Amino acid sequence: MTKPLQSIIHIDSYPKLRDPLLISGLPGIGFVGNIAVVHIIKQMNAEKFGEVYSPHFQDVAYSSVDNGLRRPTIELHSCRLPSDARDLVILYGNTQPLSSYGQYEVSQKILSQVSELGCRSIISLAGLKQEYVKEQPQVFCVGSGFDAMDAVCARGVIPLQGEVYGMAGVLVGLAKLEGMQAVCLLAETLGLYPDASAAKALLEKINLAYGLHFDFSGLAETAKEVSANQ
Amino acid sequence: MTKPLQSIIHIDSYPKLRDPLLISGLPGIGFVGNIAVVHIIKQMNAEKFGEVYSPHFQDVAYSSVDNGLRRPTIELHSCRLPSDARDLVILYGNTQPLSSYGQYEVSQKILSQVSELGCRSIISLAGLKQEYVKEQPQVFCVGSGFDAMDAVCARGVIPLQGEVYGMAGVLVGLAKLEGMQAVCLLAETLGLYPDASAAKALLEKINLAYGLHFDFSGLAETAKEVSANQ
Amino acid sequence: MTKPLQSIIHIDSYPKLRDPLLISGLPGIGFVGNIAVVHIIKQMNAEKFGEVYSPHFQDVAYSSVDNGLRRPTIELHSCRLPSDARDLVILYGNTQPLSSYGQYEVSQKILSQVSELGCRSIISLAGLKQEYVKEQPQVFCVGSGFDAMDAVCARGVIPLQGEVYGMAGVLVGLAKLEGMQAVCLLAETLGLYPDASAAKALLEKINLAYGLHFDFSGLAETAKEVSANQ
Amino acid sequence: MTKPLQSIIHIDSYPKLRDPLLISGLPGIGFVGNIAVVHIIKQMNAEKFGEVYSPHFQDVAYSSVDNGLRRPTIELHSCRLPSDARDLVILYGNTQPLSSYGQYEVSQKILSQVSELGCRSIISLAGLKQEYVKEQPQVFCVGSGFDAMDAVCARGVIPLQGEVYGMAGVLVGLAKLEGMQAVCLLAETLGLYPDASAAKALLEKINLAYGLHFDFSGLAETAKEVSANQ
């Protein structure tokens, strides 16, 4: 009853993972990263194995479309990639911590947890707000490990000069402290609505750089769901 | 002298309770929940057995109508229901924590405490601000346990699509973590004054759904007191 | 190196005190309480025996009139009253904590400390902002212990209906938790400048209610110093 | 996993230092202190031996000019002075903590750390915003130890009547608690751009007061780099 209240991760059951790659997509500009990871979770039938509880989330409860109750949350899912020797850990959330302090606390807890699970490599996904966007949205990157950067840059991803706020930035900034390679991929977006097209651009680059095979059917529906679940 | 300062619950004496139901009514829109629980405390001669102290309350002291001193507080009361096999724990406060972090801290401490006292079921009461309100105010609900939801929905309570801020929402959102069923009942209100009529609507639905027998005499006076004690 | 950073009280040497009375005067409206306690410290040659260090103070250093350096601080002084069986502890500060949380943390640390020193009775001094002030400013009170209240009310102090913000209120509100009697005395003031006249009104009431003999020479100079040292 | 999250200092390797002098230059008005310490680090080939990690920094990652990734950081560097019996510890940062609480936490951690390394003397560098600045900018000081103050005041540094916000002030204000002498030197600046000329004024006074021999070549280029790295 007297321990300090801070963010904790409830793990339902510890998955056994082969060289797992973490892909993070939290709510942000155009819900771009959020749409991409919900799409991956659905397509790969990824299984939720843990959940972040944090007093740094908004003090709110949501009633969802099916009348159930949801609270602000960030979830850990995992799945096995069929044709590959490695597994995925997917970080999905319907929220981000309210304060900068909370962003650091939650990011650090997640990095410690996935490091324990054997994860040495991280991709965080985000949108990059632009006034004008090409029909095929460009993808930018910011990264801490040169191998990870080289892999995506070889696929037409453009190194970004700038700043990435929120957990997409903090996860990548702190990854080095845990000895991980990390890259943040940002797809350009107008940011005015949940942007399935920008999410598709991110998934295409991930396919190319990591030799994965996500397909893109149903992305528009996922974008609508993500928007309704915030 | 060196432990971190956080919310604690002072318990005067631990009551022995039979399958207790927690009813929470903190200050909020139209003081609806607040009026309802003060009414229950008075009518049932409920006894205060504990009090929350929190550094997350406002830094203020109030002088009350009888010249005594009050500080921001949340109190735990209990009473025995005459014709029923279960007891009530009633959560009354003249304040809510100032920050979202404080809302989580206090809610979690309270849930741990009432869980220790054997509580498995929670009702939080609140107002729902509307532009126009029916003569007989409608009551809405948001819930985490399906039995609890079914019981109130069978009595004309309408499932809500939306968000509940503050401790009324957080208590219900976190209850699942403690293995509790929880439902938030919200009565529509203009929210312009302490609304005895909306409080009555909540008490009527609680009577129906839980087989209780609160009467409604003196609610208008209670509304005036609640307003004066903030 | 890893303990949480919080407010602490550095005690230079523990004074032996006979039934000490705490008088607190921190910066606030019209610097009224601040002027009064600086006046007591000077007149009684009170000795500083401790100092609060808190990360909840403003992040600033001041250079004072004599080119020395000061930081935000709250100090504990003590003195023996010549013609009386009891001693004084005087709480002086050039600051208050920035946040409501900090107000609670510092107040609680101080109450624990003075309770350890045998203190069972507290007076906190403050100003009460008014549009118009009588030539002889009125003094109001808010209190938690009836004996303490009776003593001052018998001397023409008027019980206040209202709210006292900041440490003047929190000290009194929390005193009961430490089993102390506490009263807050507020002198009416325009609050536009350091108000020596309101400070005098407080000292007069303290003299009457507690049988003390503070004189009032030099109050105007003290008001100027207090103002220069903020 | 359950310890409170707070600022920590990662030390790569503990340097052996002879009577070290700490010179701190964090981002602030006109980047004056920042430019001065980057200049010292480059000129003296100072070696980074530690780094502050703090959840009180901004939640952001930066991509730097060479496409590497940086996060908000404060670094500890050390170097040996060729013609002198003492060593330098240099505090460089691309950020300051966001909150006043963070300023105290980080300052206190740094003071504890450098105290352990044998440091008894501190200079913090900052800019002082003015409407008009002399061609040769004046240098002001605020200090806690009289020897340190005398040394700089004998070289034409002007004691300041006023306030120093941020870590430049807090480091000096808290130094006394660790038994250190500390002085803050502030060069006047318009504060409209990274001000190499004000940084030069600081370095000149340090040379005079401490018998050091920093030269000033390349200061303008350093000012541009510092600006680009924020």
Side-chain angles (χ1 to χ4, degrees):
Chain A
M1 293 273 295
T2 61
K3 57 173 194 285
L5 273 164
Q6 55 177 291
S7 309
I8 50 172
I9 303 182
H10 287 281
I11 299 290
D12 300 326
S13 71
Y14 284 87
K16 285 232 160 82
L17 299 169
R18 299 163 305 158
D19 185 21
L21 172 69
L22 177 75
I23 303 182
S24 166
L26 298 178
I29 296 160
F31 292 103
V32 178
N34 221 205
I35 297 167
V37 299
V38 170
H39 183 76
I40 296 173
I41 288 169
K42 285 164 64 177
Q43 188 172 118
M44 305 305 293
N45 286 315
E47 209 169 322
K48 191 182 117 181
F49 68 92
E51 193 168 347
V52 177
Y53 155 72
S54 176
H56 296 287
F57 293 156
Q58 180 72 56
D59 55 329
V60 70
Y62 313 100
S63 63
S64 67
V65 284
D66 57 358
N67 298 330
L69 181 90
R70 292 173 308 108
R71 61 168 194 281
T73 190
I74 294 175
E75 300 171 354
L76 291 157
H77 297 249
S78 70
C79 67
R80 185 147 290 200
L81 291 173
S83 60
D84 192 9
R86 80 189 314 184
D87 297 326
L88 290 186
V89 174
I90 302 138
L91 199 65
Y92 159 79
N94 64 1
T95 196
Q96 293 213 12
L98 290 182
S99 64
S100 189
Y101 181 91
Q103 298 269 358
Y104 275 95
E105 182 171 291
V106 171
S107 297
Q108 184 154 310
K109 297 281 179 180
I110 288 169
L111 289 172
S112 296
Q113 182 59 73
V114 299
S115 174
E116 247 177 63
L117 293 169
C119 185
R120 316 257 39 90
S121 196
I122 290 179
I123 311 173
S124 75
L125 304 179
L128 183 71
K129 193 170 170 53
Q130 304 277 48
E131 292 292 305
Y132 301 94
V133 171
K134 298 214 173 66
E135 201 181 323
Q136 166 68 6
Q138 288 182 292
V139 177
F140 300 86
C141 70
V142 161
S144 73
F146 292 113
D147 292 4
M149 289 289 282
D150 292 351
V152 294
C153 293
R155 304 308 180 162
V157 172
I158 304 154
L160 182 74
Q161 302 285 355
E163 302 171 345
V164 184
Y165 283 86
M167 276 183 60
V170 176
L171 281 170
V172 169
L174 295 182
K176 221 188 325 189
L177 290 178
E178 298 280 346
M180 297 176 182
Q181 289 211 346
V183 67
C184 175
L185 299 181
L186 304 103
E188 61 183 4
T189 174
L190 297 173
L192 305 174
Y193 48 84
D195 188 343
S197 158
K200 178 163 174 276
L202 290 176
L203 292 168
E204 284 173 344
K205 294 299 183 189
I206 293 173
N207 274 350
L208 286 170
Y210 292 86
L212 305 182
H213 304 90
F214 300 127
D215 78 31
F216 311 119
S217 56
L219 259 176
E221 288 70 32
T222 299
K224 278 182 208 153
E225 283 169 40
V226 161
S227 167
N229 274 321
Q230 301 308 320
Chain B
M1 292 276 294
T2 61
K3 57 176 196 282
L5 273 164
Q6 55 177 290
S7 310
I8 50 171
I9 303 182
H10 287 282
I11 299 288
D12 299 326
S13 72
Y14 284 88
K16 286 231 160 80
L17 300 168
R18 300 163 304 159
D19 184 21
L21 171 70
L22 178 73
I23 302 182
S24 167
L26 299 177
I29 297 158
F31 292 104
V32 178
N34 222 205
I35 297 167
V37 298
V38 170
H39 184 76
I40 295 174
I41 289 170
K42 284 164 66 177
Q43 188 172 118
M44 306 304 293
N45 287 313
E47 210 168 321
K48 192 182 115 181
F49 67 91
E51 194 169 347
V52 177
Y53 155 73
S54 175
H56 297 288
F57 292 156
Q58 180 72 57
D59 56 330
V60 70
Y62 313 100
S63 62
S64 66
V65 285
D66 57 359
N67 298 328
L69 181 91
R70 291 173 309 107
R71 61 169 193 279
T73 189
I74 293 176
E75 300 171 353
L76 291 157
H77 296 249
S78 69
C79 67
R80 185 146 291 200
L81 291 175
S83 61
D84 191 10
R86 83 190 311 184
D87 297 326
L88 290 186
V89 174
I90 302 140
L91 201 65
Y92 159 79
N94 63 3
T95 196
Q96 294 212 12
L98 290 182
S99 64
S100 189
Y101 181 90
Q103 298 270 359
Y104 275 96
E105 182 171 291
V106 172
S107 296
Q108 184 155 311
K109 298 280 181 180
I110 288 169
L111 290 172
S112 295
Q113 183 58 76
V114 299
S115 174
E116 246 177 63
L117 292 169
C119 186
R120 316 257 39 91
S121 195
I122 290 179
I123 311 173
S124 76
L125 305 179
L128 183 71
K129 194 171 169 50
Q130 304 277 49
E131 291 292 305
Y132 301 95
V133 171
K134 297 216 172 66
E135 200 182 324
Q136 166 69 4
Q138 288 183 294
V139 177
F140 300 85
C141 69
V142 162
S144 73
F146 293 113
D147 292 3
M149 289 289 281
D150 291 351
V152 293
C153 293
R155 304 307 180 161
V157 171
I158 304 154
L160 182 74
Q161 301 285 354
E163 303 172 344
V164 184
Y165 284 86
M167 277 183 59
V170 175
L171 281 170
V172 169
L174 295 182
K176 220 187 327 188
L177 290 178
E178 298 280 346
M180 296 175 183
Q181 289 212 345
V183 67
C184 176
L185 298 182
L186 304 103
E188 62 182 5
T189 175
L190 298 173
L192 305 174
Y193 48 84
D195 189 342
S197 158
K200 179 163 174 276
L202 290 176
L203 292 168
E204 285 173 342
K205 293 300 183 189
I206 294 173
N207 275 351
L208 287 170
Y210 292 86
L212 305 182
H213 303 90
F214 300 128
D215 78 30
F216 312 119
S217 56
L219 259 175
E221 289 69 34
T222 300
K224 278 182 207 152
E225 282 169 42
V226 161
S227 167
N229 274 321
Q230 302 306 322
Chain C
M1 294 274 294
T2 60
K3 59 177 192 284
L5 272 163
Q6 56 177 289
S7 310
I8 49 172
I9 302 181
H10 288 280
I11 299 289
D12 300 326
S13 71
Y14 284 88
K16 285 231 160 81
L17 299 169
R18 297 163 306 159
D19 184 20
L21 170 71
L22 177 74
I23 302 181
S24 166
L26 299 178
I29 296 159
F31 292 105
V32 178
N34 222 205
I35 297 168
V37 298
V38 171
H39 184 76
I40 296 174
I41 288 169
K42 285 164 64 177
Q43 189 173 117
M44 306 303 295
N45 287 313
E47 211 169 320
K48 190 181 117 181
F49 68 91
E51 195 169 346
V52 177
Y53 155 72
S54 176
H56 297 287
F57 292 157
Q58 180 71 57
D59 56 328
V60 70
Y62 313 100
S63 63
S64 66
V65 284
D66 57 358
N67 298 329
L69 180 90
R70 292 173 309 107
R71 62 170 193 279
T73 189
I74 293 176
E75 301 171 353
L76 291 158
H77 297 251
S78 69
C79 68
R80 186 148 290 202
L81 291 174
S83 61
D84 191 11
R86 81 187 314 180
D87 297 326
L88 290 187
V89 174
I90 303 139
L91 200 65
Y92 160 78
N94 64 3
T95 196
Q96 293 213 12
L98 291 182
S99 64
S100 189
Y101 181 90
Q103 298 269 359
Y104 275 95
E105 181 170 291
V106 172
S107 296
Q108 184 154 310
K109 298 281 181 180
I110 288 169
L111 289 173
S112 295
Q113 182 58 75
V114 299
S115 174
E116 247 178 62
L117 292 169
C119 187
R120 316 257 38 93
S121 194
I122 290 179
I123 311 174
S124 77
L125 305 179
L128 183 71
K129 196 172 168 51
Q130 305 276 49
E131 291 293 304
Y132 301 96
V133 170
K134 297 215 173 66
E135 200 182 323
Q136 166 69 5
Q138 288 183 292
V139 178
F140 299 86
C141 71
V142 162
S144 73
F146 293 114
D147 293 3
M149 289 289 281
D150 291 350
V152 294
C153 292
R155 303 308 181 163
V157 171
I158 304 154
L160 182 74
Q161 302 285 352
E163 302 172 345
V164 184
Y165 284 85
M167 276 183 60
V170 176
L171 281 170
V172 170
L174 295 182
K176 221 187 327 188
L177 290 178
E178 298 280 346
M180 296 175 182
Q181 289 211 347
V183 67
C184 175
L185 298 182
L186 305 103
E188 61 182 5
T189 174
L190 297 173
L192 305 174
Y193 47 84
D195 189 342
S197 158
K200 179 162 173 277
L202 290 176
L203 292 169
E204 284 173 343
K205 294 300 183 189
I206 293 174
N207 275 350
L208 286 171
Y210 293 85
L212 305 182
H213 304 90
F214 300 128
D215 78 31
F216 313 119
S217 56
L219 260 175
E221 288 69 35
T222 300
K224 278 183 207 151
E225 284 170 40
V226 162
S227 167
N229 274 321
Q230 301 307 323
Chain D
M1 293 273 296
T2 61
K3 58 175 194 284
L5 272 163
Q6 56 178 291
S7 310
I8 49 172
I9 302 181
H10 287 281
I11 299 291
D12 299 327
S13 71
Y14 285 87
K16 285 231 160 81
L17 299 169
R18 299 163 305 157
D19 184 22
L21 171 69
L22 177 74
I23 302 181
S24 166
L26 299 178
I29 297 159
F31 292 104
V32 179
N34 221 205
I35 297 167
V37 299
V38 170
H39 184 75
I40 296 174
I41 289 169
K42 283 165 63 177
Q43 188 172 117
M44 306 304 293
N45 287 314
E47 208 168 322
K48 190 181 115 181
F49 69 91
E51 193 168 350
V52 178
Y53 155 73
S54 176
H56 297 287
F57 292 156
Q58 180 72 58
D59 56 329
V60 70
Y62 313 101
S63 63
S64 68
V65 285
D66 57 359
N67 299 329
L69 181 91
R70 291 172 310 107
R71 62 169 193 280
T73 189
I74 294 176
E75 300 171 354
L76 291 157
H77 296 250
S78 69
C79 67
R80 186 147 291 200
L81 291 175
S83 61
D84 192 10
R86 82 189 313 181
D87 296 327
L88 289 187
V89 174
I90 302 138
L91 200 65
Y92 159 79
N94 64 3
T95 195
Q96 294 214 11
L98 290 183
S99 64
S100 189
Y101 181 91
Q103 299 269 359
Y104 275 95
E105 182 171 290
V106 172
S107 297
Q108 184 154 309
K109 298 281 180 181
I110 288 169
L111 289 173
S112 296
Q113 182 58 75
V114 299
S115 173
E116 247 178 62
L117 292 169
C119 186
R120 318 256 38 92
S121 196
I122 290 179
I123 311 173
S124 76
L125 304 179
L128 183 71
K129 194 169 169 54
Q130 304 276 50
E131 291 293 304
Y132 301 95
V133 172
K134 298 216 172 66
E135 201 182 323
Q136 167 69 5
Q138 288 184 292
V139 177
F140 299 86
C141 71
V142 162
S144 73
F146 293 113
D147 292 4
M149 289 289 282
D150 292 350
V152 294
C153 292
R155 304 307 181 163
V157 171
I158 304 154
L160 182 73
Q161 302 285 353
E163 302 172 344
V164 184
Y165 284 86
M167 276 183 60
V170 176
L171 281 170
V172 170
L174 295 182
K176 221 188 325 190
L177 291 178
E178 298 280 345
M180 297 175 181
Q181 288 212 347
V183 67
C184 175
L185 298 182
L186 305 103
E188 60 183 6
T189 174
L190 297 173
L192 305 174
Y193 48 84
D195 188 342
S197 159
K200 178 161 174 279
L202 290 176
L203 292 168
E204 284 173 342
K205 293 300 183 188
I206 293 173
N207 275 350
L208 287 171
Y210 292 85
L212 304 182
H213 303 91
F214 300 128
D215 79 30
F216 312 118
S217 56
L219 260 175
E221 289 70 33
T222 300
K224 278 182 208 151
E225 284 169 40
V226 161
S227 166
N229 274 322
Q230 302 306 321

